């Protein structure tokens, strides 16, 4: 953990300079507006000051409170996989816990499906968490006294779902994550990867609308982690959940995220698609992460699109989807192809991809 | 520690002079000497608190208790009705368990009772234990169960053991559940925790005897009072352990519970308690061990069973009988301890095999039931299977008595010489010296010690508590307590610390030593008393040897532990600087281990104090005796006052030493680690 915090990069400006996503809020599943979280004896007072907008930057340097989350504004869209990335201690867990009110934010607003969570009663919160939210934990958080089946069925049991019904549902989920045949194992009889599969199955048992994953794969070995990421992508392609995924691993973030928020010292320093982050890192801090990334493997064809104009079919060496990465598109040029025809999601022609631009990008690494 | 203040700041502002602590000590000792020399003539009240000024605290407490019993009422019900209700609550399950284990199902009262169903026979009970042991930990534990219960059976301790077991079976769940509930409340509400933690502290320092007296007064003589005392005695550690275990549950598990939308109740019973189960089982194990510790003491207020056998053997000075009953208690303790520990390890494992039918889920339960039925039927055919014939019982009683007699005959002079030499040259002079001190001076010195070690608050506490003891009119008894306890602790340290040092860096030796002290600590403290009484008869000397034997374990343990903890890098550094092994030990290792060793001293004192009360049985004239007399007369006030006086001594010693250890640690630059 970095002991001495660099002074926050003008936290008050972030909300202004960073256009709070272009999507209209109607399509947003969860919106955070100027969320703050302080820890320490002075937390209450600072929270009130932040709410009233009277918080002075120099107050944050005092040693009386830790600002674990600083003025975070985000909007998470229906159906996207939103990744929050940052180093250890940057406040990711605290932020994600603020979103479900496991941690009470000191200031700000959390709007879930148009409902302000901070004014919801405890009873209502229980209801929302039961029906609409699921969470996967870094260290699995499996209950040691329950079998795989018992663990996966636990959220349903808490809701009072009958035994046969909840076990049937749990068996479905266990099959979904590929653990069939191990329902009667206890957690400690499983490997780390298998335990996290149980955690995933459990969090999905209630069919949540919003799925939180707090560094789900960090405790796993690199090979298993890769395997679990593939598994996760497979699941997401089937389930199409709205996801908030926490990680400290930038590769994981660009691999899985539709959009990424990069956090530093509690503040969000940049939000964008993997392309945007890789091609245009907002600060030196972000470019530190992007430096070792092979751009061609991240950047999508759509980012290098040129207008189609009036290309004759003779010039075109092939066709490619705008969602393919540059690295996937490159071989299609063949020996001497000059450009590729790019088709969008709907199959219509979106533009062309020029060999020169691809070459220029590949040269940069 | 906020209170390191005065001495430190003074030093900073006053560089030329010696530390102010030293000056204070010189002044204080001077004043003390003056007092000592002149108090008797000039201010007799400072030498000995006048009887006439002693408030009748004991009397008031007794009067209050009488009022409670005779008149107090909450409007709905009287206090007596309340205590009766509590009794009934304990009595019913106790009678039931006793019927199963020992008396059989009776109909009718007292001597006219007719047995309608026999108790489970010894074969059945051993069978059940063996099955339980096997379920918990397999064959080895099953063999242990056979050995322990077999010993009890063959040595004719069965009936008593079953009476004891019945009270344990009732006391343990009650103590565990009660402790858990208190722990849950303390975990949930900080204010509640703050409120009960000093009470728990006090309960652990007051000698058990002291609260035996009011219980005896309120609930009368008999097993119910004994069980209640046992529950009260065993509950505080469970509460503490429960709080620690609940706090220790991973925060992620807590988050999980909230994320799945648990209600507070579901959170407690479905998430927190199961997740804390391994820790809680450690607490249950503690409750079992403490209940067994209580067995003998509880028999003083009517528990019966093995405890009563030991006690009456002690009174008759029948060493053999006492030893066998004592070892039977140990056998029971070992069996219950190991089995419960094994269950603690496995509860987590086989908690629920979902689906499967009853028989597959509970094979051991069914087997146990089968064994009980089979043993009953077998008992009908073969009577010895129902009741172990007396003719088959063994006894080593005569052997032990003979052995002791032989030692006494052949070595009487030697033993007597050792005893007299120590008595005349050490014990008696030291006792005289302590008893001659003016109470005001002692209180003053305790205050100065508190002030230099920690600060004003500790000083005030030490002075206040010592003064209270003087005011209560028990100064002489208290000083006798300090003398016995102090000398015992010194001897225990003189023996224990070298053993600790010697075994600390010899892993093999340490393993043996550890096994020995672990065993010593599970023996009921009375067992120590018996052989010493046989050899040296009653008196202070006997008491002291028993105390030393009992309090030795922590001295050894903490010394070795402290030495183990010393940072190996520092030892390397010392070696590199060319220290001889002896210099290494004295200048580096012992110095750095000092805080830990001081905690050991603290523990030694606490154990010595708790043992002191037991040694009252061999005729010491200290606070323990006072409590014991109160007990035999059911004089509540007297018992409580004397008990509190012991607690005060314990608190002063505990706080002073803890402050000293904290200071030593701070000076050595060790962080706050270590702890109890
Ligand atoms: N309960 C708490 N009390 C005090 N400080 C806290 C608490 N929880 C978190 N913090 C502080 O808030 C900051 C952010 O912590 P957080 O756990 O959110 O970081 P993180 O990004 O999730 O890190 P990691 O990758 O290690 O999980 C840290 O400095 C941490 O010390
Ligand atoms: Mg985290």
């Amino acid at each position: 953990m970095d002991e001495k915090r660099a002074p926050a990069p003008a936290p008050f400006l972030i909300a202004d300079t960073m256009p709070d996503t272009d999507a209209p809020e109607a399509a947003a599943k969860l919106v955070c507006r100027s969320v703050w979280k302080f820890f320490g004896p002075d937390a209450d007072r600072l929270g009130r000051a932040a709410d009233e907008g009277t918080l002075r930057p120099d107050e944050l340097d005092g040693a009386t409170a830790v600002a674990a989350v600083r003025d975070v504004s985000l909007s998470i869209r229906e159906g996207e996989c939103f990744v929050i990335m940052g180093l250890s201690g940057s406040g990711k867990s605290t932020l994600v816990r603020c979103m479900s009110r496991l941690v009470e934010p000191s200031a700000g607003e959390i709007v879930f499906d148009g409902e302000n969570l901070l004014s919801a009663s405890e009873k209502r919160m229980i209801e929302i968490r039961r029906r609409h939210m699921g969470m996967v934990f870094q260290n699995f958080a499996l209950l040691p006294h329950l079998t795989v089946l018992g663990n996966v069925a636990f959220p349903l049991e808490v809701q009072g779902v009958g035994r046969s019904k909840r076990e049937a549902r749990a068996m479905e989920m266990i099959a979904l994550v590929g653990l069939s045949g191990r329902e009667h194992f206890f957690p400690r009889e499983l490997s780390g990867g298998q335990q996290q599969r149980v955690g995933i199955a459990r969090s999905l048992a209630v069919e949540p609308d919003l799925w939180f994953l707090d560094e789900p794969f960090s405790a796993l070995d690199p090979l298993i982690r890769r395997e679990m990421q593939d598994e996760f992508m497979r699941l997401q392609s089937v389930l199409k959940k709205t996801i908030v995924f926490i990680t400290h691993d930038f590769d994981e973030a660009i691999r899985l995220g539709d959009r990424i928020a990069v956090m530093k010292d509690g503040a969000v320093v940049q939000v964008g698609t993997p392309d945007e982050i890789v091609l245009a890192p907002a600060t030196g801090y972000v470019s530190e992460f992007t430096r070792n990334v092979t751009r061609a493997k991240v950047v999508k064809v759509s980012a290098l699109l040129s207008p189609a104009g009036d290309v004759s079919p003779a010039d075109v060496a092939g066709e490619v989807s705008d969602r393919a990465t540059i690295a996937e598109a490159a071989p299609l040029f063949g020996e001497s192809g000059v450009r590729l025809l790019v088709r969008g999601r709907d199959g219509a022609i979106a533009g062309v991809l020029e060999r020169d631009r691809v070459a220029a990008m590949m040269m940069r690494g | 520690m906020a209170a390191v203040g005065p001495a430190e700041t003074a030093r900073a502002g006053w560089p030329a002079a010696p530390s102010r602590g030293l000056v204070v000590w010189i002044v204080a000792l001077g004043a003390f000497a003056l007092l000592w020399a002149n108090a008797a003539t000039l201010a007799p009240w400072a030498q000995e608190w006048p009887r006439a000024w002693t408030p009748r605290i004991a009397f008031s407490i007794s009067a209050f208790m009488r009022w409670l019993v005779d008149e107090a009422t909450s409007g709905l019900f009287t206090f007596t009705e309340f205590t009766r209700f509590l009794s009934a609550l304990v009595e019913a399950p106790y009678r039931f368990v006793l019927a199963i284990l020992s008396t059989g199902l009776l109909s009718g009262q007292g001597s006219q009772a007719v047995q309608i169903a026999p108790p489970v026979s010894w074969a059945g009970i051993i069978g059940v234990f063996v099955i339980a042991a096997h379920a918990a930990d397999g064959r080895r534990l099953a063999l242990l169960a056979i050995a322990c219960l077999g010993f009890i059976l063959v040595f004719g301790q069965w009936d008593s053991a079953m009476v004891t077991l019945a009270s344990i079976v009732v006391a343990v769940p009650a103590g565990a559940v009660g402790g858990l509930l208190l722990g849950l409340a303390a975990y949930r509400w900080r204010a509640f925790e703050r409120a009960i933690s000093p009470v728990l502290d006090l309960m652990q320092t007051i000698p058990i005897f002291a609260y035996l007296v009011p219980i005896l007064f309120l609930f009368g003589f008999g097993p119910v009072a004994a069980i209640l005392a046992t529950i009260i005695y065993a509950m505080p550690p469970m509460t503490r352990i429960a709080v620690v275990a609940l706090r220790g549950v991973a925060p992620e598990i807590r988050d999980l519970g909230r994320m799945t939308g648990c209600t507070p109740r579901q959170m407690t019973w479905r998430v927190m308690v199961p997740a804390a189960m391994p820790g809680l089982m450690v607490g249950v194990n503690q409750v079992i061990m403490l209940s067994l510790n209580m067995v003998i003491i509880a028999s003083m207020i009517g528990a019966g069973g093995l405890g009563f056998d030991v006690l009456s053997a002690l009174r008759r000075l029948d060493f053999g009988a006492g030893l066998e009953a004592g070892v039977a208690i140990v056998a029971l303790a070992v069996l219950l301890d190991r089995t419960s520990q094994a269950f603690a390890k496995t509860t987590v494992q086989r908690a629920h095999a979902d689906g499967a039918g009853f028989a597959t889920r509970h094979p051991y339960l069914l087997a146990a039931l089968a064994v009980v039925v089979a043993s009953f039927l077998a008992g009908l055919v073969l009577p010895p299977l129902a009741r172990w014939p007396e003719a088959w019982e063994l006894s080593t009683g005569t052997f032990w008595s003979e052995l002791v007699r032989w030692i006494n005959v052949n070595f009487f002079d030697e033993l007597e010489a050792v005893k007299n030499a120590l008595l005349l040259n050490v014990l008696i002079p030291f006792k005289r010296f302590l008893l001659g001190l003016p109470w005001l001076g002692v209180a003053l010195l305790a205050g100065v010690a508190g002030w230099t070690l920690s600060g004003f608050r500790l000083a005030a506490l030490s002075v206040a508590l010592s003064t209270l003891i003087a005011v209560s009119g028990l100064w002489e008894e208290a000083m006798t307590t300090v003398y016995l306890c102090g000398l015992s602790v010194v001897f225990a340290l003189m023996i224990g610390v070298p053993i600790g040092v010697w075994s600390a860096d010899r892993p093999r030796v340490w393993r043996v030593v550890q096994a020995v002290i672990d065993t010593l600590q599970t023996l009921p403290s009375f067992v120590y008393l018996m052989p010493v009484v046989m050899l040296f008869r009653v008196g202070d000397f006997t008491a002291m040897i028993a105390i030393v034997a009992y309090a030795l374990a922590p001295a050894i343990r903490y010394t070795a532990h402290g030495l183990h903890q010393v940072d190996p890098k520092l030892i390397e550094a010392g070696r590199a600087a060319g220290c001889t092994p002896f210099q290494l030990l004295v200048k580096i290792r012992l110095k750095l281990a000092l805080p830990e060793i001081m905690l050991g001293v603290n523990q030694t004192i606490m154990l010595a104090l708790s043992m002191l009360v037991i040694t009252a049985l061999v005729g010491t004239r200290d606070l323990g005796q006072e409590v014991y007399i109160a007990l035999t007369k059911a004089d509540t006030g007297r018992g409580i006052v004397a008990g509190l006086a012991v607690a005060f001594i314990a608190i002063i010693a505990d706080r002073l030493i803890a402050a000293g250890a904290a200071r030593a640690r701070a000076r050595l630059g060790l962080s706050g680690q270590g702890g109890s």
Side-chain angles (χ1 to χ4, degrees):
Chain A
M1 235 205 293
D2 47 348
E3 280 301 319
K4 201 166 148 54
R5 262 168 213 295
F12 305 93
L13 296 180
I14 289 175
D16 301 341
T17 52
M18 209 175 48
D20 171 8
T21 70
D22 26 14
E25 265 188 22
K29 191 80 186 164
L30 185 94
V31 179
C32 303
R33 287 201 200 97
S34 303
V35 173
W36 291 81
K37 178 63 194 178
F38 298 100
F39 286 112
D42 226 9
D44 289 345
R45 189 186 61 74
L46 289 171
R48 243 173 288 123
D51 253 340
E52 290 157 9
T54 55
L55 191 67
R56 281 171 291 111
D58 56 286
E59 281 184 288
L60 294 177
D61 302 334
T64 48
V66 179
V69 172
R70 299 178 185 228
D71 200 21
V72 169
S73 297
L74 292 171
S75 139
I76 289 149
R77 298 174 201 153
E78 184 89 49
E80 78 172 333
C81 176
F82 190 91
V83 174
I84 300 174
M85 210 284 313
L87 296 181
S88 192
S90 56
K92 309 178 295 292
S93 296
T94 310
L95 175 59
V96 80
R97 280 167 174 73
C98 283
M99 291 178 179
S100 54
R101 256 183 86 191
L102 284 183
V103 165
E104 199 67 37
S106 308
E109 229 175 68
I110 310 271
V111 181
F112 174 69
D113 271 341
E115 179 179 359
N116 185 359
L117 289 190
L118 298 193
S119 54
S121 66
E122 189 51 34
K123 213 167 149 209
R124 174 73 190 136
M125 275 320 297
I126 287 184
E127 189 58 28
I128 290 176
R129 291 189 196 119
R130 280 187 175 182
R131 311 262 169 210
H132 305 289
M133 293 177 170
M135 185 153 177
V136 180
F137 297 88
Q138 177 170 2
N139 297 306
F140 323 136
L142 300 183
L143 295 170
H145 64 293
L146 297 179
T147 57
V148 168
L149 185 63
N151 265 293
V152 175
F154 183 74
L156 297 166
E157 187 185 341
V158 165
Q159 295 182 16
V161 176
R163 187 181 185 114
S164 58
K165 199 168 159 205
R166 69 171 187 254
E167 289 190 346
R169 169 80 188 151
M171 290 302 265
E172 245 175 76
M173 290 299 109
I174 292 169
L176 183 69
V177 298
L179 280 181
S180 297
R182 290 179 203 267
E183 325 53 81
H184 298 298
F185 282 46
F186 281 96
R188 85 199 145 298
E189 295 165 334
L190 300 175
S191 72
Q194 289 169 333
Q195 292 192 30
Q196 194 56 297
R197 282 166 197 263
V198 178
I200 289 174
R202 177 178 60 190
S203 68
L204 290 173
V206 294
E207 297 185 75
D209 317 341
L210 185 53
W211 195 20
F212 297 109
L213 298 100
D214 185 0
E215 306 206 25
F217 309 139
S218 300
L220 305 176
D221 295 335
L223 278 181
I224 311 282
R225 192 182 309 165
R226 188 88 190 172
E227 185 188 316
M228 293 294 287
Q229 287 168 359
D230 292 338
E231 177 79 14
F232 172 77
M233 290 202 284
R234 181 182 70 78
L235 282 175
Q236 172 61 355
S237 67
V238 181
L239 301 169
K240 306 228 163 29
K241 299 270 174 211
T242 307
I243 294 173
V244 179
F245 189 109
I246 311 283
T247 179
H248 62 239
D249 178 355
F250 189 67
D251 291 330
E252 189 168 77
I254 51 182
R255 211 160 162 237
L256 306 180
D258 292 324
R259 285 193 306 144
I260 300 171
V262 182
M263 282 188 84
K264 178 171 189 276
D265 296 339
V268 170
V269 292
Q270 186 175 11
V271 181
T273 61
D275 295 12
E276 287 164 1
I277 299 223
V278 170
L279 292 177
T283 66
Y285 178 76
V286 181
S287 51
E288 281 297 307
F289 292 110
T290 61
R291 189 181 311 161
N292 297 323
V293 174
T294 314
R295 276 150 220 258
K297 284 191 182 161
V298 177
V299 176
K300 302 279 193 304
V301 168
S302 55
L304 294 189
L305 216 53
S306 308
D310 48 340
V311 282
S312 58
D315 290 343
V316 177
E319 278 189 24
V320 67
S321 148
D322 68 345
R323 276 158 299 147
T325 61
I326 298 296
E328 285 163 352
L332 301 178
F333 283 99
E335 281 294 307
S336 57
V338 180
R339 54 180 68 92
L340 297 177
L341 196 63
V342 179
R343 288 191 188 275
R345 205 175 280 249
D346 48 6
I349 293 173
V352 293
L353 183 66
E354 302 282 348
R355 186 184 188 109
D356 299 349
R357 296 191 70 178
V358 171
M361 150 140 278
M362 304 274 275
M363 302 292 258
R364 275 193 295 155
Chain B
M1 259 250 137
V4 189
E8 300 297 330
T9 42
R11 194 169 305 162
W14 195 7
S19 82
R20 197 155 113 203
L22 193 63
V23 175
V24 168
W25 270 113
I26 293 170
V27 172
L29 284 174
F32 180 76
L34 275 176
L35 246 177
W36 191 13
N38 303 313
T41 47
L42 294 180
W45 59 267
Q47 174 72 32
E48 191 180 340
W49 188 264
R51 284 268 159 223
W53 297 2
T54 306
R56 303 174 69 194
I57 314 171
F59 181 78
S60 313
I61 294 177
S62 298
F64 170 73
M65 295 296 283
R66 264 196 300 281
W67 171 82
L68 259 186
V69 171
D70 295 341
E71 290 164 42
T73 170
S74 70
L76 275 181
F77 50 84
T78 64
F79 189 77
T80 316
E81 276 163 353
F82 174 66
T83 55
R84 290 228 179 94
F85 168 72
L86 272 184
S87 302
L89 219 56
V90 171
E91 173 118 36
Y94 174 69
R95 289 283 159 226
F96 176 70
V97 177
L98 196 65
I100 292 180
L101 292 179
S102 169
T103 59
L105 219 52
L106 301 178
S107 116
Q109 286 287 313
S111 50
Q112 286 123 45
V114 199
Q115 199 181 50
I116 11 185
V120 180
S121 68
W122 63 264
I125 287 169
I126 293 184
V128 169
F129 263 98
V130 167
I131 289 171
H134 195 274
D137 202 28
R139 188 166 313 151
R140 283 185 58 175
L141 195 59
L143 285 176
L144 183 75
I146 294 179
C148 289
L149 292 173
F151 171 85
I152 292 174
L153 182 71
V154 172
F155 281 83
Q157 307 290 333
W158 190 261
D159 291 339
S160 296
M162 287 306 113
V163 174
T164 298
L165 188 60
S167 60
I168 301 279
V169 165
V170 175
V172 167
V177 171
L180 174 61
L181 292 179
L182 287 180
L184 279 170
Y187 169 75
R188 191 108 154 247
W189 298 291
R190 284 242 159 215
F192 183 74
E193 190 195 1
R194 267 196 297 272
I196 65 166
S197 109
V199 178
L200 295 181
D201 272 349
L202 197 65
M203 282 182 66
Q204 287 188 323
T205 39
I206 291 189
I208 320 155
F209 273 135
Y211 48 85
L212 236 45
V213 187
I215 288 175
L216 181 63
F217 190 74
L218 294 177
F219 296 95
F221 187 87
V224 171
I227 290 173
L228 280 168
T230 307
I231 293 172
I232 293 174
Y233 174 64
M235 213 152 61
M238 180 69 200
T239 304
R240 263 172 219 278
I241 291 173
V243 172
V244 172
L246 290 167
R247 291 247 158 82
V249 171
E252 277 197 347
I253 295 269
R254 230 170 296 159
D255 283 350
L256 164 81
R258 295 184 62 200
M259 255 341 258
T260 46
C262 286
T263 58
R265 175 178 299 188
Q266 287 175 325
M267 190 73 184
T268 303
W269 298 110
R270 304 256 177 126
V271 179
M272 295 307 287
V273 170
M277 198 44 92
L280 294 177
M281 286 306 285
V282 173
V284 172
N285 181 257
Q286 276 288 307
V287 173
I288 294 178
M289 293 316 282
L290 288 178
S291 303
L292 281 158
N293 266 347
M294 246 326 245
V295 162
I296 297 176
I297 295 165
S299 69
M300 291 181 172
I301 58 172
L306 291 172
F308 178 77
D309 293 353
V310 174
L311 201 62
S312 62
L314 189 66
R315 291 200 179 120
R316 297 194 310 268
L317 287 185
D318 179 352
F319 180 51
L323 186 74
E324 278 168 12
V327 175
I329 295 178
V330 176
L332 213 51
V334 168
L335 176 61
L336 293 178
D337 174 51
R338 297 292 133 81
T339 313
S340 65
Q341 266 183 23
F343 268 116
K345 273 195 212 114
T346 51
T347 34
V348 174
Q349 273 174 30
R350 65 187 97 232
H352 88 60
D354 353 58
F358 184 82
T360 23
R361 259 185 295 153
H362 303 287
Y364 285 108
L365 195 62
L366 286 183
L369 277 175
V371 163
V372 169
V373 173
S375 72
F376 171 71
L377 295 177
L380 293 180
V381 186
L382 277 175
L385 273 181
R387 221 193 136 64
W388 188 258
E390 246 164 68
W392 296 3
E393 279 171 9
L394 298 181
S395 173
T396 53
T398 34
F399 166 74
W400 292 111
S401 307
E402 284 304 315
L403 178 69
V404 169
R405 186 162 17 179
W406 179 78
I407 294 178
N408 271 337
V409 167
N410 290 297
F411 297 97
F412 184 81
D413 294 335
E414 286 84 346
L415 289 175
E416 211 59 8
V418 171
K419 174 178 162 181
N420 285 337
L422 270 174
L423 261 179
L424 290 178
N425 297 316
V426 183
L427 271 71
I428 292 175
F430 186 60
K431 184 178 184 177
R432 286 236 177 87
F433 165 76
L434 276 184
L435 286 178
L437 296 178
W439 71 265
L440 188 63
V442 175
L444 188 85
L445 284 189
V448 171
W451 192 67
T452 46
L453 284 176
S454 164
F456 177 74
R457 281 182 58 178
L458 187 55
L461 180 80
S462 309
V463 173
L465 293 185
S466 342
T467 309
L468 272 176
I469 295 175
V471 169
S472 71
L474 289 173
W475 187 255
E476 208 162 293
E477 288 82 355
M479 273 309 167
T480 315
T481 302
V482 171
Y483 130 80
L484 259 180
C485 180
L487 273 186
S488 309
V489 169
V490 168
F491 282 124
L493 292 175
M494 273 165 47
I495 302 169
V497 172
I499 294 181
V501 169
W502 178 66
S503 57
D505 39 35
R506 292 174 179 76
R508 278 233 204 92
V509 178
W510 174 235
R511 225 170 301 139
V512 175
V513 170
Q514 203 178 14
V516 172
I517 56 182
D518 280 349
T519 320
L520 284 182
Q521 286 201 315
T522 49
L523 288 178
S525 36
F526 280 82
V527 171
Y528 293 91
L529 211 50
M530 202 113 36
V532 196
V533 174
M534 302 297 294
L535 296 177
F536 297 105
R537 296 183 308 286
V538 298
D540 285 3
F541 184 74
T542 304
M544 202 186 72
I545 292 190
I547 298 170
V548 169
Y550 185 60
L552 200 55
I556 299 176
R557 195 189 301 276
Y558 279 83
T559 306
H561 191 231
L563 289 174
H564 282 153
Q565 269 193 348
V566 173
D567 187 353
K569 272 190 242 120
L570 292 174
I571 299 175
E572 291 279 274
R575 202 167 283 143
C579 289
T580 63
F582 181 75
Q583 285 173 325
L584 210 58
L585 179 67
V586 175
K587 299 216 162 137
I588 297 184
R589 297 180 55 208
L590 278 180
K591 221 174 210 164
L592 288 170
L594 189 64
E596 193 75 16
I597 294 178
M598 283 172 88
L599 290 177
V601 174
N602 203 347
Q603 276 292 311
T604 312
I605 295 180
M606 294 305 136
L607 282 190
L609 276 173
S610 72
M611 183 71 186
L612 251 180
V613 185
I614 289 163
T615 58
L617 286 176
V618 296
T620 52
R621 323 203 112 270
D622 58 354
L623 290 170
Q625 187 67 7
E626 188 72 13
V627 178
Y628 185 60
I629 293 172
L631 186 65
T632 51
K633 295 187 178 165
D635 184 343
T636 330
R638 194 169 171 188
I640 288 180
V641 170
L644 280 176
V646 179
F648 288 169
I649 296 176
I651 290 171
I652 295 174
D654 175 68
R655 299 296 133 88
L656 286 181
I657 291 173
R663 243 176 98 94
R665 209 178 288 130
R667 198 167 37 220
L668 294 172
L670 304 173
S671 56
Q673 38 105 314
S676 71

